[in-house]
């Protein structure tokens, strides 16, 4: 990760998906341990999601609960609840558009706590190239409903390549923009994450 400093980051991800007919319950836990140049102490950040989805052909209705913490960005905790809907434009689900209304309570290390209502609009492109490669592009725009000058923009590009029936190579780039970050934190940051998976 390159932001104000060079950082080495190790991620630990737990993902559980339970599906019955058109009902899906998903639990996702992503924790990162971070080592900064010149600092002995490890920082950590993470995100936990619990999501329920009801799917009917190309339409998807979802409810979500989320907890996020990122000490590096001075976010002690950000609790989010939301309800939204998404629609697959084509039957092969290659293009998906969605909108979610979110309520956030953010506890920061400096300053007052924040209570915000945001609109999360996103568009997802998914393209399979042959059988061995898949490209996914997701863009998300999250304005504050109380002041549209306060917004977040999140972009993710993912390339997944099957090296064999068991091995998978994944290349992910993330770009984040926050128009009103905490004092001393830059508005933009980006990440490049490479991973190899083994399935059995």
């Amino acid at each position: 990760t390159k932001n104000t400093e060079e950082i080495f980051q190790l991620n630990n991800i737990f993902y559980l998906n339970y599906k019955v007919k058109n009902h899906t319950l998903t639990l996702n836990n992503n924790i990162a341990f971070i080592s900064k140049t010149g600092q002995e102490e490890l920082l950590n950040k993470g995100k936990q999601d619990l999501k329920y989805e009801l799917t009917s052909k190309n339409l998807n209705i979802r409810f979500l609960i989320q907890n996020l913490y990122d000490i590096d960005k001075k976010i002690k905790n950000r609790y989010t609840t939301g309800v939204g809907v998404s629609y697959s434009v084509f039957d092969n689900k290659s293009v998906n558009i969605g909108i979610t209304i979110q309520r956030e309570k953010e506890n920061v290390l400096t300053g007052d706590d924040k209570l915000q209502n945001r609109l999360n609009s996103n568009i997802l492109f998914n393209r399979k190239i042959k059988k061995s490669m898949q490209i996914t592009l997701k863009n998300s725009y999250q304005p504050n409903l109380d002041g549209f000058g306060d917004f977040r923009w999140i972009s993710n590009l993912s390339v997944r390549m099957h090296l064999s029936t068991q091995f998978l190579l994944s290349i992910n780039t993330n770009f984040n923009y926050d128009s009103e970050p905490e004092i001393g934190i830059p508005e933009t940051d980006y990440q490049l994450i490479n991973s190899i998976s083994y399935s059995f």
Side-chain angles (χ1 to χ4, degrees):
T1 303
K2 181 82 172 173
N3 192 332
T4 56
E5 303 178 58
E6 290 186 2
I7 301 168
F8 177 77
Q9 180 173 313
L10 176 66
N11 286 65
N12 185 342
I13 298 172
F14 173 80
Y15 180 82
L16 180 65
N17 186 287
Y18 182 71
K19 187 171 183 178
V20 177
K21 294 182 180 178
N22 58 342
H23 303 272
T24 306
L25 188 65
T26 306
L27 175 64
N28 187 24
N29 181 36
N30 189 336
I31 300 174
F33 299 96
I34 304 164
S35 174
K36 280 190 170 185
T37 305
Q39 294 187 11
E40 294 183 3
E41 291 187 9
L42 283 174
L43 291 175
N44 69 332
K45 66 178 181 179
K47 183 170 71 170
Q48 292 80 37
D49 294 281
L50 180 62
K51 187 191 301 182
Y52 166 77
E53 295 177 293
L54 176 63
T55 306
S56 176
K57 199 176 180 181
N58 291 3
L59 190 65
N60 182 300
I61 299 170
R62 62 183 169 273
F63 303 91
L64 66 91
I65 300 171
Q66 183 185 90
N67 176 42
L68 178 142
Y69 55 93
D70 191 341
I71 303 302
D72 196 41
K73 293 184 179 179
K74 300 183 181 179
I75 302 171
K76 187 177 179 181
N77 289 101
R78 180 189 292 157
Y79 303 103
T80 303
T81 56
V83 58
V85 62
S86 61
Y87 180 76
S88 297
V89 179
F90 305 108
D91 288 336
N92 63 0
K93 303 187 185 299
S94 59
V95 178
N96 189 288
I97 55 174
I99 191 164
T100 303
I101 297 173
Q102 298 179 173
R103 185 157 177 88
E104 295 179 356
K105 182 180 181 183
E106 185 173 283
N107 303 318
V108 295
L109 295 177
T110 57
D112 299 326
D113 295 345
K114 301 176 183 177
L115 191 61
Q116 302 174 344
N117 296 304
R118 289 189 180 269
L119 191 66
N120 184 352
S121 57
N122 57 70
I123 183 166
L124 184 143
F125 299 94
N126 195 4
R127 175 82 181 190
K128 199 164 190 176
I129 301 172
K130 298 181 179 179
K131 291 183 179 180
S132 60
M133 183 180 292
Q134 183 174 349
I135 298 174
T136 304
L137 174 64
K138 183 178 181 181
N139 289 300
S140 178
Y141 174 64
Q142 301 177 1
N144 185 342
L145 294 177
D146 298 322
F148 280 89
D150 175 12
F151 69 92
R152 302 184 196 123
W153 179 271
I154 302 168
S155 291
N156 173 267
L157 175 64
S158 174
V159 180
R160 294 163 59 90
M161 292 176 284
H162 287 272
L163 304 177
S164 68
T165 54
Q166 284 85 24
F167 283 98
L168 173 71
L169 173 65
S170 179
I171 302 170
N172 297 278
T173 58
N174 298 309
F175 173 80
N176 300 289
Y177 177 83
D178 190 340
S179 65
E180 295 188 9
E182 294 301 310
I183 297 172
I185 304 299
E187 295 177 344
T188 60
D189 67 80
Y190 60 90
Q191 296 175 318
L192 174 63
I193 302 172
N194 301 316
S195 62
I196 295 177
S197 303
Y198 178 76
S199 301
F200 58 91

